[in-house]
Amino acid sequence: MPSAPQTASAPAQHGLAEHSHGGWATRPVQSRAERFASSHREDFPRVTGLEPEWRLTPVRELGALLDGALDGGRYDVEAESGLASVTWIPRDDARIGSAGLAEDRAAANAWESVEGALLLSVPEGAETELVVRRAAFGPEPRAAHTVVEARAGSRSTIVLESTGAAQLAENVEILVREGAQLTLVSVQEWDEDARHLASHFARLERDAVLRHIVVSLGGRIVRVNPSAELAGEGSDVEMLGVYFSLDGQHLEHRTYVHHAAAHTRSRVTYKGALQGAGARSVWVGDVLIGPDASGTDSYEQNRNLVLTEGARADSVPNLEIETGDIVGAGHASATGRFDDEQLFYLQSRGIREPDARRLVVLGFLGEIVQRIGRPELERHLHARIARALGDPEAQAPAAGEAS
Amino acid sequence: MSELQIRDLRVSIATDQGTKDILKGVDLTVRSGETHAIMGPNGSGKSTLAYTIAGHPRYTVEGGSITLDGEDVLAMSVDARARAGIFLAMQYPVEIPGVTVTNFLRTAKTAIDGAAPSIRGWRKTVAESMAALRMDASFAERNVNEGFSGGEKKRHEIVQLELLKPKFAVLDETDSGLDVDALKIVSEGVNRVKADTGLGILLITHYTRILRYIRPDFVHVFVDGHVAEEGGPELADRLEDEGYDRYVSGTASVG
């Protein structure tokens, strides 16, 4: 059992708001930064599906992760490691909880259920790459906690690949120390009946740079909520996301960027395509520019391409500004159908309709994929998306693609 | 020798006010090696003819025929028309985010030829064509038409014309929005393709300016959805002096 629950510094007032109502029509939490947080599941009321943070999620299918007992033991990982280390750390390690704390019931359930955390650590000043593959969670409800630590001055790329069966609630803490540059790629390619609720908490120290990339393709319900606190002056986060929701899939991403320090920069770009009558996606993007974040430069956007009737994409950008002294803050959201003029243009060059459609969708999603910076993974994702779009020859990368 | 034959072509579009007839019986025959200028005032149906030949779904063919060497073009899908040898250089080329020019050109060439071009030779061919049209090599890695200026889009259309080698090209107001230098570059490109491949050209334009650089064999004046007058290049010279008033006022008096 866990030790005494950790709680955020000012939970009383807002915890009260959360506890006493639980309905989104009642008084909202005043600021995104003041959202209630706790490591203890029962500090959160039972989820009804009416809460702002759950109302777009099929919560009835998530009972096991929200309310049930979770197996928080170790699981098998496969790692391709250079200079970075992959180890298990106990619950009382000081790094756990240092980047954030669970802000919803599923995350808290995971937090208090884990026996320890998987630590992915990049030594100070090191330049390296690390690929961690997780394929053995199995169908039983589980909890996981991961701490990623990019120590000062390091430059690294870490890829977290998830496949296979899963019912997983997890927290991922990402510590980007002073001057470190980290690219973290989280790829969800679960089996089609998998359920996955993830909260990522990144904390960036002075002059740290994080590229956080989420790729969600497989799974029945996948909800990844990445947050980044720009705690150190001059820190910089880029959050990229790409998702392709097919019939019966619910893919959800709630991003949150907190500009807490001066001269910080953020860019959030999430793009998704939906195909099939039951395909769903949700993107909610919160940006908070705090009172001390003078000189902030922030922009977030979400684009969705709806390929068939009956698919539904929700897209909600939110911007809170508590200082007037900023460089820029903007947001954009667009959800559109397939552009027939693009189709006509490609077909008028001899390209058959299904190939033209694939080209457009791959182009649309590829804008994110091609920014991962790992050619092998990019080709794999490209081929996977092409297969989902019905390309019979998408097993191998497109001929002559190198350029 | 190929022949593109248009007979009694009647075309409508759906508008909020109901169906509107645009083309009201167009007859035209273009053979390999011939350049036909289609001229006329705005709204006369010139672009409708261009898009109908290419098969844009917005236009409904009410009657008549288009055949290419006897084959029924109207029965073909948009892409099948392109593979049969018809090319439309568009007035407003479409942007395709995330698809590079290189990828697009290779995909189109593969579709038209039925086999992928050899990688090395193809790259050289593309580079040469782009250089001839004064397009910087960096355009190859840019997304199709994204962020291109009006002139760059038109030059990119002519690069495609040169690479895809159609039997017939419809150039829809390729001259619009071009300054004199760009107009020369684009015209030289068209003339070079014609010299190399002997294609037939249907050059749609409002102004006579481009006809100084691309000399037409035939000029057809379009008014109110049909050909009001036909002649040789001298007709274009007369239009330059007199404009379209003569045709337009004549139409107005008919009602």
Side-chain angles (χ1 to χ4, degrees):
Chain A
M1 282 301 290
S3 53
Q6 304 164 8
T7 13
S9 52
Q13 181 189 355
H14 301 284
L16 184 65
E18 290 269 340
H19 279 285
S20 54
H21 309 294
W24 62 284
T26 57
R27 192 177 78 82
V29 172
Q30 291 302 305
S31 166
R32 181 63 173 82
E34 295 164 359
R35 189 174 284 187
F36 178 75
S38 168
S39 63
H40 190 46
R41 181 184 75 193
E42 291 309 320
D43 284 348
F44 295 86
R46 280 191 168 252
V47 174
T48 63
L50 296 173
E51 302 81 358
E53 67 271 32
W54 288 110
R55 69 187 179 89
L56 298 170
T57 315
V59 293
R60 273 194 296 269
E61 298 177 50
L62 296 169
L65 298 178
L66 289 164
D67 306 318
L70 304 175
D71 175 356
R74 292 184 185 183
Y75 50 90
D76 286 340
V77 294
E78 183 193 310
E80 280 172 35
S81 173
L83 298 171
S85 65
V86 179
T87 52
W88 291 93
I89 53 174
R91 281 194 62 95
D92 58 3
D93 188 286
R95 286 167 290 208
I96 294 180
S98 64
L101 198 54
E103 292 185 342
D104 66 55
R105 189 170 160 96
N109 196 18
W111 200 292
E112 68 180 357
S113 300
V114 294
E115 290 168 11
L118 185 69
L119 173 69
L120 315 176
S121 185
V122 181
E124 201 170 311
E127 282 190 34
T128 190
E129 296 182 342
L130 168 63
V131 179
V132 175
R133 296 194 176 88
R134 313 187 299 176
F137 283 113
E140 297 308 314
R142 296 197 62 122
H145 199 118
T146 306
V147 175
V148 178
E149 184 181 31
R151 294 200 176 176
S154 62
R155 297 176 62 151
S156 57
T157 296
I158 295 178
V159 181
L160 205 53
E161 290 181 10
S162 300
T163 55
Q167 264 202 93
L168 175 67
E170 69 167 335
N171 294 289
V172 178
E173 294 189 71
I174 304 158
L175 302 163
V176 194
R177 305 296 190 194
E178 190 170 322
Q181 296 180 20
L182 169 66
T183 294
L184 182 79
V185 189
S186 178
V187 184
Q188 286 69 237
E189 283 193 85
W190 302 111
D191 288 354
E192 65 177 33
D193 57 349
R195 286 153 173 73
H196 179 210
L197 301 176
S199 295
H200 289 206
F201 307 93
R203 188 172 188 281
L204 284 74
E205 295 181 4
R206 187 185 182 91
D207 295 327
V209 178
L210 171 65
R211 289 208 316 145
H212 184 274
I213 304 172
V214 176
V215 181
S216 295
L217 298 174
R220 157 74 191 115
I221 301 170
V222 174
R223 177 171 136 134
V224 179
N225 296 351
S227 66
E229 184 188 4
L230 296 162
E233 207 173 317
S235 56
D236 182 322
V237 68
E238 181 167 38
M239 286 188 180
L240 300 171
V242 60
Y243 47 92
F244 188 7
S245 184
L246 298 171
D247 196 8
Q249 270 188 303
H250 176 98
L251 304 179
E252 178 169 347
H253 304 89
R254 290 171 178 257
T255 60
Y256 170 42
V257 177
H258 180 191
H259 290 266
H263 305 295
T264 50
R265 178 182 178 276
S266 69
R267 291 290 181 272
V268 179
T269 308
Y270 269 63
K271 294 182 84 169
L274 299 92
Q275 175 174 277
R280 288 288 318 267
S281 75
V282 175
W283 176 81
V284 178
D286 293 339
V287 172
L288 169 63
I289 300 173
D292 301 325
S294 60
T296 284
D297 179 5
S298 164
Y299 194 83
E300 60 167 349
Q301 62 172 326
N302 174 231
R303 309 255 177 230
N304 295 297
L305 189 54
V306 178
L307 301 174
T308 52
E309 292 287 330
R312 176 175 160 174
D314 286 281
S315 180
V316 186
N318 296 309
L319 181 59
E320 261 183 274
I321 305 180
E322 296 177 344
T323 176
D325 175 25
I326 59 170
V327 173
H331 58 77
S333 161
T335 297
R337 292 183 180 283
F338 200 89
D339 184 346
D340 289 335
E341 293 303 321
Q342 293 181 341
L343 197 60
F344 174 73
Y345 189 72
L346 294 170
Q347 281 189 268
S348 78
R349 277 27 177 174
I351 301 167
R352 287 174 173 82
E353 182 178 339
D355 297 331
R357 283 184 179 277
R358 266 197 291 277
L359 204 56
V360 170
V361 179
L362 281 168
F364 179 79
L365 298 179
E367 283 195 314
I368 301 293
V369 173
Q370 72 197 20
R371 288 164 75 179
I372 292 173
R374 293 181 58 85
E376 196 179 319
L377 179 58
E378 289 174 20
R379 279 195 295 273
H380 164 74
L381 295 173
H382 192 90
R384 188 183 160 112
I385 294 168
R387 275 202 304 283
L389 287 162
D391 185 352
E393 292 171 15
Q395 206 62 40
E401 200 54 56
S403 52
Chain B
M1 174 66 72
S2 285
E3 189 174 86
L4 182 68
Q5 212 176 67
I6 299 168
R7 288 291 172 268
D8 193 28
L9 185 66
R10 281 168 286 124
V11 175
S12 70
I13 58 166
T15 70
D16 293 341
Q17 288 78 42
T19 303
K20 187 171 183 230
D21 294 324
I22 307 288
L23 298 187
K24 302 169 180 174
V26 173
D27 292 289
L28 200 64
T29 302
V30 185
R31 295 183 186 81
S32 299
E34 295 177 352
T35 298
H36 293 245
I38 308 282
M39 308 194 60
N42 290 327
S44 58
K46 304 188 301 286
S47 283
T48 296
L49 178 65
Y51 279 89
T52 303
I53 293 170
H56 194 286
R58 180 164 178 245
Y59 301 93
T60 306
V61 175
E62 303 287 354
S65 66
I66 303 176
T67 56
L68 174 58
D69 295 332
E71 296 285 322
D72 182 2
V73 171
L74 294 174
M76 299 178 194
S77 63
V78 174
D79 45 289
R81 294 179 198 206
R83 292 194 300 275
I86 292 171
F87 180 89
L88 170 63
M90 296 190 198
Q91 185 178 0
Y92 302 110
V94 180
E95 298 184 2
I96 314 217
V99 178
T100 62
V101 167
T102 299
N103 186 14
F104 165 64
L105 293 176
R106 191 198 309 111
T107 305
K109 184 65 175 172
T110 303
I112 296 277
D113 289 4
S118 82
I119 289 174
R120 187 188 280 176
W122 174 244
R123 238 183 246 179
K124 186 160 170 279
T125 307
V126 171
E128 284 170 0
S129 180
M130 287 181 54
L133 282 145
R134 319 275 165 81
M135 285 186 80
D136 191 86
S138 64
F139 277 87
E141 292 314 314
R142 286 177 59 178
N143 293 329
V144 173
N145 294 325
E146 203 178 54
F148 287 23
S149 70
E152 286 160 353
K153 285 180 181 171
K154 296 298 175 68
R155 281 184 265 168
H156 181 219
E157 295 292 284
I158 304 307
V159 166
Q160 295 170 50
L161 173 69
E162 181 155 31
L163 295 172
L164 300 181
K165 303 194 190 315
K167 289 177 185 157
F168 291 96
V170 182
L171 310 180
D172 186 19
E173 309 224 5
T174 294
D175 51 340
S176 71
L178 294 185
D179 62 28
V180 174
D181 293 332
L183 182 63
K184 276 190 196 169
I185 292 166
V186 163
S187 300
E188 282 165 16
V190 172
N191 291 333
R192 188 172 58 247
V193 175
K194 190 178 169 188
D196 289 348
T197 69
L199 86 170
I201 295 172
L202 210 53
L203 179 66
I204 291 173
T205 180
H206 184 88
Y207 302 103
T208 53
R209 196 175 59 143
I210 193 172
L211 303 182
R212 286 177 221 154
Y213 305 103
I214 302 174
R215 203 61 190 158
D217 304 300
F218 304 93
V219 175
H220 313 263
V221 182
F222 247 56
V223 179
D224 191 29
H226 64 271
V227 177
E229 188 168 7
E230 295 178 291
E234 73 287 346
L235 182 53
D237 298 334
R238 217 171 80 208
L239 285 170
E240 172 139 30
D241 298 335
E242 300 174 9
Y244 297 114
D245 286 354
R246 195 156 52 93
Y247 304 105
V248 176
S249 54
T251 312
S253 68
V254 174

